[in-house]
């Protein structure tokens, strides 16, 4: 029954989008974390998706999974703040390379995708319910 | 009697199954809207359905190659409800190589869901018609 696989597909997408939302939340929360447990400024985390066939025999059902959570390689934002104890010899302090605008658009995109996939599940549910009523009086 | 009942429902059954499969394919497209490099897929519903019906009627859908030697391989006929997935042309190319256009996909998804319900209604009508014919007056 292929409609049941719509649940698997939409479910995998919702999981992946919530991982992305999680990464965005962590990036925004740490936008000002000049230091971390490693002593380095926080680096923005980006989630990369990959398409995965749900079953080998059914190539048309393709779900989503999180391939990697990579760290943004762009250089840290240098802020001039000589009074800060973390400042280097020139009075500059390395701040996380989190781009707040980018994170906000990422967040909107993730939440919209999440909504669409929830809608998709709803449609599949309605169709299945109607199919189950088939032949009844 | 049973086999003629089977024939009576065969068309609607095939249509319903293919609608389910198409729903799944479009769900995969929507789920992978943010996957880099994912190519949107779909199949020609009318063509697939008429192939399935031709196969059901027993018409040969083998590839029409002449076999002039006993060692030539015979063409393998498609199973009746196999779909030929094709790639959609992209509307607006994106940097990450993803060709999912959300407008097209949502349109197709809704369209397919409504047509699935229409197929269900037709099947329901056929069942109640058959039931009326079988009842004593």
């Amino acid at each position: 029954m292929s409609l049941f696989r719509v649940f698997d597909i939409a479910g995998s997408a919702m999981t992946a989008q919530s991982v992305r939302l999680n990464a965005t939340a962590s990036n925004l929360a740490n936008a000002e974390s000049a230091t971390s447990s490693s002593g380095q400024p926080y680096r923005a985390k980006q989630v990369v998706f990959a398409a995965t066939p749900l079953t080998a025999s059914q190539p048309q059902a393709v779900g989503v999974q999180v391939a990697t959570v990579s760290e943004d390689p762009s250089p840290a934002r240098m802020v001039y703040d000589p009074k800060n104890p973390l400042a280097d010899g020139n009075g500059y302090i390395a701040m996380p390379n989190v781009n707040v605008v980018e994170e906000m658009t990422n967040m909107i995109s993730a939440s919209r995708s999440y909504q669409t996939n929830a809608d998709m599940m709803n449609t599949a549910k309605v169709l299945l319910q109607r199919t189950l009523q088939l032949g009844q009086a | 009697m049973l086999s003629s009942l089977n024939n009576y429902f065969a068309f609607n059954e095939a249509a319903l199954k293919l609608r389910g499969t198409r729903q799944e394919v479009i769900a995969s497209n929507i789920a992978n809207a943010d996957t880099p490099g994912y190519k949107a897929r779909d199949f020609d519903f009318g063509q697939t359905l008429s192939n399935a019906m031709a196969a059901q009627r027993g018409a040969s859908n083998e590839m029409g190659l002449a076999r002039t030697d006993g060692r030539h391989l015979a063409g393998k006929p498609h199973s009746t409800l196999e779909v030929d997935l094709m790639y959609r042309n992209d509307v607006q190319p994106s940097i990450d190589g993803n060709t999912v256009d959300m407008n097209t996909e949502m349109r197709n998804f809704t369209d397919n869901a409504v047509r699935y319900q229409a197929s269900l209604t037709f099947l329901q009508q056929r069942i109640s018609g058959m039931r009326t014919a079988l009842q004593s007056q």
Side-chain angles (χ1 to χ4, degrees):
Chain A
M1 194 64 211
S2 41
L3 273 179
F4 280 110
R5 277 202 296 270
V6 174
F7 287 118
D8 298 341
I9 295 165
S12 72
M14 282 163 85
T15 314
Q17 295 293 352
S18 65
V19 171
R20 186 172 163 211
L21 206 55
N22 241 328
T24 305
S26 134
N27 287 349
L28 282 175
N30 284 295
E32 302 295 326
S33 303
T35 183
S36 64
S37 52
S38 66
Q40 294 294 311
Y42 176 86
R43 299 197 83 87
K45 308 254 184 305
Q46 302 296 345
V47 176
V48 182
F49 291 163
T52 42
L54 291 185
T55 51
S57 58
Q58 234 75 43
Q60 65 263 34
V62 184
V64 193
Q65 69 170 21
V66 174
T68 48
V69 180
S70 59
E71 290 203 333
D72 194 336
S74 60
R77 189 160 45 95
M78 299 308 280
V79 177
Y80 184 67
D81 186 6
K83 288 192 297 297
N84 197 303
L86 292 165
D88 62 10
N90 297 325
Y92 280 96
I93 171 168
M95 293 299 276
N97 55 355
V98 175
N99 185 333
V100 178
V101 177
E102 227 170 67
E103 297 304 330
M104 287 304 283
T105 50
N106 242 334
M107 185 187 82
I108 295 167
S109 168
S111 79
R112 287 282 185 269
S113 295
Y114 193 90
Q115 280 176 17
T116 315
N117 282 294
D119 272 359
M120 222 156 62
M121 270 195 183
N122 235 343
T123 309
K125 192 185 86 184
V126 171
L127 293 182
L128 275 172
Q129 272 172 347
R130 288 202 54 180
T131 313
L132 288 173
Q133 285 162 7
L134 189 64
Q136 287 175 5
Chain B
M1 179 61 207
L2 266 179
S3 76
S4 59
L5 255 187
N6 211 4
N7 287 342
Y8 183 66
F9 293 130
F11 178 78
N12 293 89
E13 187 202 341
L16 211 54
K17 277 185 178 162
L18 283 177
R19 286 278 169 220
T21 310
R22 181 147 190 250
Q23 198 75 357
E24 180 191 297
V25 173
I26 299 170
S28 295
N29 289 347
I30 296 175
N32 281 291
D34 296 319
T35 308
Y38 180 84
K39 308 289 179 206
R41 317 199 72 180
D42 204 353
F43 61 89
D44 185 342
F45 181 82
Q47 188 61 48
T48 315
L49 184 59
S50 58
N51 281 352
M53 292 329 288
Q56 219 144 34
R57 277 196 305 272
S60 160
N61 61 344
E62 282 186 41
M63 281 172 273
L65 285 176
R67 290 199 291 157
T68 52
D69 191 293
R71 286 167 294 179
H72 285 171
L73 296 174
K76 195 165 136 256
H78 269 220
S79 86
T80 51
L81 283 175
E82 205 166 287
V83 297
D84 245 342
L85 286 182
M86 291 178 284
Y87 293 98
R88 236 196 258 296
N89 290 330
D90 56 349
V91 187
Q92 301 179 82
S94 64
I95 295 172
D96 62 359
N98 187 307
T99 64
V100 177
D101 179 52
M102 216 35 159
N103 307 307
T104 316
E105 301 302 338
M106 282 315 283
R107 185 193 77 90
N108 281 318
F109 188 82
T110 313
D111 178 276
N112 198 59
V114 172
R115 282 170 202 271
Y116 183 94
Q117 298 204 9
S119 288
L120 269 181
T121 310
F122 290 139
L123 195 52
Q124 181 76 53
Q125 291 299 323
R126 295 216 123 193
I127 290 170
S128 55
M130 182 53 82
R131 188 174 276 160
T132 311
L134 288 172
Q135 267 166 2
S136 64
Q137 296 303 313

